[in-house]
Amino acid sequence: MRQVPTSRKNSAISRTLRLAALLAAGLAGTAFAGDIPSQRGDLTPEDLARVEKVTTPTGDFSKAEAFEAMPGGATTSRKKVNRDAFSQFSANLSFEQERDFKLGNALFRKLWVSSPSSTQASDGLGPLFNARACQSCHLKDVRGHPPEGAADATSMFLRLARPAQNDAERAALESYVAANFPDPVYGGQLQDNAVPGLQAEGHMRIEYEEVPVALAGGEMVSLRKPTYAIDDLGYGPLHPETTLSARIAPPMIGMGLIQAIEPSDIVANADPDDADGDGISGRVQLTRATPDSAIEIGRFGWKAQNPSIRKQTAAAFAGDIGISSPDLPKSHGDCMAAQEECLARPTGVQKRLGDTEAPDPIMDLVTFYSENLAVPARRDYEAPDVLRGKEMFYSLGCTACHRPKFVTSRNAADEVHAFQLIWPYSDFLLHDMGEGLADGQPVGVANGREWRTAPLWGIGLTETVNGHTFFLHDGRARNLTEAILWHGGEAQGARDRFAALEKADRDALIRFLESL
């Protein structure tokens, strides 16, 4: 098999020049500029050279790469591939850590009930909510799906946001204290469930239009283009500038490893002004965990709006279930000041247990569980058609955004994630994905056309674990081919090159993705 030269951003411009370009794009003078070095400080010069060598994308597709079978490094799960493939713990946990993982799993599956309840350790649900348990959205710890037929929308919801309305709000955006602003009545997301006696906010309506797309060789594919609306609004109209953005629950595997990537390794791949002229810009999301904390790189969520797994967990507890935590003490969840009846409902705070409905150690254990859901081992990675598909993936330019490899920090918060060679196939940057995928909803640095590059590890097991193959942020793609064909903007070139491939090469590329 021939060798294909691979374009790589780090070889085009040095890490230092990339950071300089990023700062020149408007980040100079912020805390971020001084806090993120241009090179890793956790490695010796010798180790840094080794890391740069091992993370350089390959140009040899005649055989599998060393350690390619273990996408999560030493944390990789080698358990039997079945419906529980995404629910295994990191393989290098200690016995005590396995215990904490299992306790976190129990809390992740816990069904919360409305207040007041005789089950005092479990009450506090809502009053408005989307789900009663974390597991309800993240079924089997993998991705959610849009409602199909008579199915409900438990693992999918609508984000609500409006632009800044005054100088104070604009200043909050500019200082990264706020990512956007909630609807004044309905809050940050539509709650389609409510506790007894309270009206839900409304229900998401989806209408699909089928759009035909021609591929090389005469094959036709139909893409379904969604339109979103809300039925049965319970509390009056939305703000006229409120936008709707549909989101399915994202997969949870490998999150602790993503958190352990050195910030400078993410910054090094950003190219906001396309200085190397390859058509790929890539921007870093910036955020704060609290209004008074330092600016951090966002890594988690469809628009990389959360800097840590704990922050994402706290936001999900409050927004999805209506449960308060020490990190986000909102005991009425997403209820707004205009929803007086909601705010008048009792909460589940038990003073003997703490000041919030999910006090520590609940937050600690659920966060630990989320940090240690292991990435499954690769399958068929040495098969000739998979290697051929990998060659196609690289040669089409997909790796410009879906960066194959990182080596995590030696200074990772948990040593099980430290200094691991991992294969997430993402750069964790924001990219313009074109008008077709645009939601028109800015989130922090991300504009209405930008999305975080989704990691691809585990993507081939979606049907095995969840029984469906719905992809992208709103599940519109019914299979991997449709997901690729929805790519636009910075990914338009790679998408068009995929569409122009002979069918055998397209099939091989899909086989490669299914092996991840």
Side-chain angles (χ1 to χ4, degrees), residues 58 81 102 123 336 458:
T58 186
V81 172
K102 291 172 182 176
D123 68 349
M336 303 296 287

Side-chain angles (χ1 to χ4, degrees), residues 79 87-90 93-110 362 364-370 372-373:
K79 298 289 186 179
S87 301
Q88 307 300 326
F89 52 78
S90 299
L93 292 186
S94 67
F95 181 78
E96 291 77 11
Q97 289 173 319
E98 288 183 31
R99 174 203 62 197
D100 291 346
F101 178 90
K102 291 172 182 176
L103 290 171
N105 183 22
L107 293 167
F108 194 81
R109 294 169 176 266
K110 174 180 179 173
I362 291 176
D364 289 338
L365 289 168
V366 174
T367 299
F368 184 80
Y369 172 76
S370 302
N372 284 289
L373 285 160

Side-chain angles (χ1 to χ4, degrees), residues 15 53 91 122 401 433 500:
R15 291 171 176 263
K53 181 178 180 180
S122 296
C401 299
M433 293 299 292

Side-chain angles (χ1 to χ4, degrees), residues 163-490:
Q165 300 292 308
N166 52 53
D167 289 343
E169 290 184 345
R170 283 185 281 273
L173 291 177
E174 291 170 0
S175 61
Y176 312 108
V177 169
N180 53 28
F181 299 97
D183 182 87
V185 174
Y186 292 91
Q189 67 191 55
L190 184 76
Q191 313 287 341
D192 55 4
N193 289 297
V195 298
L198 188 66
Q199 186 173 2
E201 291 183 326
H203 299 91
M204 174 173 54
R205 183 175 80 247
I206 313 174
E207 295 179 353
Y208 291 111
E209 173 191 356
E210 294 291 338
V211 180
V213 176
L215 302 179
E219 182 179 350
M220 295 296 297
V221 174
S222 183
L223 305 183
R224 59 178 189 174
K225 179 181 179 181
T227 302
Y228 298 100
I230 301 175
D231 290 332
D232 308 318
L233 280 170
Y235 299 88
L238 295 165
H239 187 280
E241 293 187 88
T242 292
T243 55
L244 311 180
S245 181
R247 312 284 178 86
I248 62 172
M252 296 188 60
I253 57 171
M255 290 175 66
L257 295 168
I258 295 170
Q259 189 167 255
I261 296 172
E262 276 285 319
S264 60
D265 277 357
I266 295 176
V267 173
N269 289 285
D271 188 9
D273 296 321
D274 193 18
D276 61 3
D278 67 352
I280 309 297
S281 298
R283 300 199 298 151
V284 175
Q285 177 67 283
L286 300 177
T287 185
R288 296 180 191 266
T290 67
D292 297 326
S293 62
I295 296 172
E296 299 179 71
I297 289 176
R299 304 167 187 248
F300 302 103
W302 289 107
K303 297 212 176 191
Q305 65 269 25
N306 289 313
S308 68
I309 299 168
R310 188 177 177 100
K311 174 70 181 294
Q312 178 133 326
T313 301
F317 263 130
D320 299 347
I321 310 177
I323 296 294
S324 58
S325 67
D327 298 68
L328 202 54
K330 298 174 66 176
S331 296
H332 288 91
D334 197 35
C335 295
M336 303 296 287
Q339 295 172 319
E340 296 179 0
E341 187 179 355
C342 179
L343 294 174
R345 293 293 171 130
T347 72
V349 175
Q350 309 292 329
K351 286 299 183 181
R352 62 186 179 84
L353 300 176
D355 296 328
T356 58
E357 293 154 324
D360 288 327
I362 291 176
M363 273 294 294
D364 289 338
L365 289 168
V366 174
T367 299
F368 184 80
Y369 172 76
S370 302
E371 289 172 343
N372 284 289
L373 285 160
V375 181
R378 287 278 304 278
R379 290 90 43 219
D380 303 325
Y381 61 96
E382 295 179 306
D385 58 343
V386 171
L387 291 172
R388 177 62 177 169
K390 180 181 177 181
E391 180 180 357
M392 294 297 99
F393 187 84
Y394 282 53
S395 65
L396 296 183
C398 303
T399 57
C401 299
H402 290 284
R403 179 183 175 183
K405 295 174 279 186
F406 289 87
V407 172
T408 59
S409 175
R410 281 196 183 276
N411 299 328
D414 192 325
E415 65 179 8
V416 303
H417 304 132
F419 208 54
Q420 300 295 319
L421 173 62
I422 64 174
W423 304 68
Y425 283 91
S426 173
D427 59 9
F428 305 101
L429 297 173
L430 300 169
H431 293 277
D432 182 337
M433 293 299 292
E435 192 58 35
L437 291 178
D439 65 349
Q441 188 173 103
V443 179
V445 172
N447 63 38
R449 291 166 54 105
E450 289 179 312
W451 300 92
R452 182 196 73 156
T453 305
L456 298 181
W457 50 14
I459 197 168
L461 290 175
T462 301
E463 185 170 17
T464 298
V465 175
N466 272 140
H468 70 73
T469 55
F470 295 115
F471 300 108
L472 301 179
H473 64 279
D474 56 1
R476 69 178 67 187
R478 292 163 291 197
N479 52 57
L480 291 169
T481 297
E482 289 185 26
I484 295 169
L485 293 174
W486 269 111
H487 283 51
E490 296 174 40

